[in-house]
Amino acid sequence: MDTEQQKKGIGLIPLAALVIGSAIGGGVFGIMTDISGSAGGPAIFSWVLVGTAMLMLSLSINNINKKRPDLKGGIFSYAEEGFGRFAGFISGWGYWLTCWLGNVAFATLLMSALGYFFPVFEGGQNLASIVMSTVFLWGYAWLVNRGVENASFVNAIVTFCKLVPLFLFIVVAISTFSIQQFIDNFSSDIILNANGQPIPFSSQVLSCIMVMLWVFVGIEGASVVGSRAKKQSDVGKATILGIFGLIIIYVLVSMLPYGTMTMNQLQTIKAQPAMGYVFEMMVGKWGAVVINGGLIISLVGVWLSWTILPIETMGNMAEDGLLPKAWGKLNKNGAPTYAIVLTTLCTNVFLLSLLFTDSAYNFAYTLGTAAIFFTWLFLGLYQMKLSYQRKEWVQFLVGLLASAFQVWAMLVVAFNEVMLVLVLFLPGIYFYLKARKEQNEPVQHIHLDKILLIGVTMVGVIAMVLFATGMLHV
């Protein structure tokens, strides 16, 4: 029986490739512009910091999956098992927010890429872009409502269109890389503020963190491919290989331009997707055509996956009683119409708001990253709790490092964005309480639930007042 299962399973290297393919999204194509406000030294330090944190998070996911394979209700089930029903809701609602906010970022990036070929979409956030994004948005909602799932051949095409341009960019960038140019761009002292004074090293690091974290959103779902492994022992190895593979790809794509262009050239590229414009400066117009063309095809496919993700999350939460039953009710095609329409409406409203901001893509991904901090934090905390119960102190340290980084990022790197996410939790809390009433599960009998519920609600209300009065802004 074991031999038969091994024959049908996926080996270590292909499994690691699946981890990489499932985590790489569109963000890597714009990362060099988003970190160009920092010199090479601070950027490298930021990668070490973020890479270590993401490795700790991946090891936590892998350990929990091995120790508690019965927790199959989605990533929010870790929080619920460890800290109660409301913690599960916070984790799931944060993940739901991240997924549809990610679609807003994808829409902006897709329109920007189309804008290279069709100037009417230039910038990705004008009226024409929002109209076309809305057509895409409801088109995907219609497909998913008819029971369309992300077929394997779509995944294959998407992966090809993501990885081939990345590989081509890396090869060309390595061939034109200048050590002297990289050294010239290394010191933090070369980055000046409006007054001509050097921007501190720490400030440059903080400006890199959010975009670097954004490109790792998806690793929490990468562990799912472990069920396809030939051997269970390969799952942990593939996860670690996959994360190191992602780090190598991301570091190369973001850092190689420091050795091929001056800081002034890097900072003048403001349009997205930045990789297309950087590659055009390296090899000519055909480079931008290849990058933008591949990205367009990739995003069209990725958008379908990310349309399904928030809907699946909402359906799982409704099934678990964390949201009203109606949110998970299936139509004749086996699709949750209510969840599809509500999620699509939220995404569409946010798309319309992009008419009033100059940094639509950045705003969408920073808010989406801030939302997933809650999910990642509870994941790290449950790793700590599980390891403490089992007296596994190395695993406990892994969870501690993962959790500590999330707390630091929430308080230091993205405090305002986290506060805005807490405002977005308020309508969800209403639906959570409605679901509890449906389940005849009063909150008052669960002490930790009550404390978390009151605390999150109070901070959310305070945040709403602070944003309304202008004392906080994003």
Side-chain angles (χ1 to χ4, degrees), residues 98-262:
T98 296
C99 290
W100 65 259
L101 284 166
N103 281 335
V104 175
F106 287 147
T108 309
L109 197 59
L110 175 59
M111 292 303 112
S112 295
L114 283 172
Y116 185 83
F117 302 100
F118 308 101
V120 68
F121 301 118
E122 188 174 0
Q125 60 183 84
N126 55 18
L127 183 60
S129 298
I130 290 176
V131 170
M132 182 58 72
S133 296
T134 300
V135 172
F136 269 99
L137 186 65
W138 287 99
Y140 283 123
W142 179 78
L143 285 173
V144 175
N145 194 53
R146 290 176 59 86
V148 175
E149 296 184 358
N150 198 6
S152 58
F153 76 91
V154 174
N155 274 326
I157 294 172
V158 168
T159 300
F160 179 83
C161 291
K162 282 190 295 188
L163 296 183
V164 169
L166 288 177
F167 178 75
L168 183 62
F169 177 85
I170 289 170
V171 169
V172 172
I174 289 175
S175 68
T176 58
F177 186 84
S178 164
I179 293 293
Q180 185 57 52
Q181 183 65 72
F182 186 81
I183 293 172
D184 292 342
N185 291 335
F186 189 82
S187 173
S188 61
D189 293 339
I190 66 173
I191 305 297
L192 308 177
N193 60 23
N195 298 321
Q197 299 298 315
I199 297 175
F201 182 93
S202 59
S203 298
Q204 294 185 41
V205 169
L206 292 179
S207 70
C208 293
I209 298 294
M210 286 299 277
V211 65
M212 291 180 177
L213 287 171
W214 166 242
V215 296
F216 282 104
V217 172
I219 62 166
E220 67 287 331
S223 60
V224 174
V225 299
S227 61
R228 309 180 200 173
K230 278 185 180 180
K231 297 184 294 184
Q232 187 63 31
S233 60
D234 281 346
V235 176
K237 298 174 186 176
T239 302
I240 295 171
L241 283 175
I243 290 302
F244 276 115
L246 286 169
I247 292 171
I248 290 169
I249 291 170
Y250 292 156
V251 169
L252 286 175
V253 166
S254 61
M255 298 307 301
L256 283 172
Y258 283 89
T260 60
M261 305 169 70
T262 66

Side-chain angles (χ1 to χ4, degrees), residues 35-80:
I35 70 169
S36 64
S38 300
I44 290 176
F45 181 83
S46 300
W47 274 123
V48 172
L49 192 63
V50 170
T52 301
M54 291 300 100
L55 179 60
M56 296 300 104
L57 199 68
S58 298
L59 291 172
S60 297
I61 294 170
N62 185 60
N63 180 59
I64 295 171
N65 280 345
K66 287 195 297 185
K67 304 291 173 55
R68 292 299 305 272
D70 55 307
L71 299 177
K72 299 178 180 178
I75 195 167
F76 64 86
S77 62
Y78 304 152
E80 184 177 355

Side-chain angles (χ1 to χ4, degrees), residues 29 81 131 212 242 249 259 265 292 295 316 370 395 399 451 473:
F29 289 86
E81 176 67 19
V131 170
M212 291 180 177
I249 291 170
Q265 288 175 316
N292 287 319
L295 179 58
N316 288 336
Q395 291 291 351
I451 293 173
H473 58 86

